[in-house]
Amino acid sequence: MQNDCEDYQTSDHWWYFIPIQDRACSYDLHENKYIEGNVLGHGDYASLGSAQQACSRLGAQCGGVTRSRSGKHSLRQGPGMKQSPTQEKSWLKGDCKDTHFHYFEQEFMD
């Protein structure tokens, strides 16, 4: 379980209490494609890393991340993909595994 609080309403910055266990997934890049279906209840993310981390934590609810031409990242349901008329890029979620946080090293380990 992770606890969080947002520093201001329109930001992409959340202050996290680092969980000792997390989920890490692989992502495959697909140029000029978008993943069908937005994940409900999630807005846009400024960075690819934060969007992928959120997608990984959602499990089967999220199939990947699509970046718009303006640079915003959205969580997508998938698994279907379509050709993008606006040069979007998508990262389709692959295999996932549990990871553990090493507090003293400040990083996740396998």
Side-chain angles (χ1 to χ4, degrees):
M1 181 61 147
Q2 175 178 314
N3 298 310
D4 57 65
C5 59
E6 191 174 10
D7 59 352
Y8 56 92
Q9 204 65 343
T10 59
S11 79
D12 190 29
H13 295 111
W14 287 75
W15 300 101
Y16 291 106
F17 300 97
I18 303 292
I20 59 168
Q21 186 172 332
D22 206 355
R23 199 91 177 117
C25 302
S26 63
Y27 288 86
D28 295 319
L29 172 63
H30 297 270
E31 299 275 351
N32 297 312
K33 301 251 180 179
Y34 68 91
I35 302 170
E36 295 180 290
N38 283 314
V39 174
L40 299 178
H42 290 269
D44 292 329
Y45 292 80
S47 73
L48 175 60
S50 61
Q52 286 178 336
Q53 186 175 38
C55 185
S56 296
R57 290 177 178 166
L58 284 173
Q61 295 176 35
C62 183
V65 175
T66 294
R67 180 170 65 203
S68 67
R69 195 162 56 179
S70 66
K72 294 183 179 182
H73 301 83
S74 60
L75 305 185
R76 311 298 286 203
Q77 292 177 351
M81 296 183 75
K82 290 191 174 182
Q83 192 69 29
S84 172
T86 58
Q87 299 175 326
E88 294 166 296
K89 292 182 181 180
S90 290
W91 290 263
L92 198 60
K93 186 166 68 172
D95 293 332
C96 298
K97 63 181 177 180
D98 290 327
T99 60
H100 299 280
F101 187 72
H102 189 286
Y103 180 78
F104 294 107
E105 297 294 328
Q106 295 292 299
E107 63 184 22
F108 286 98
M109 306 176 344
D110 290 340

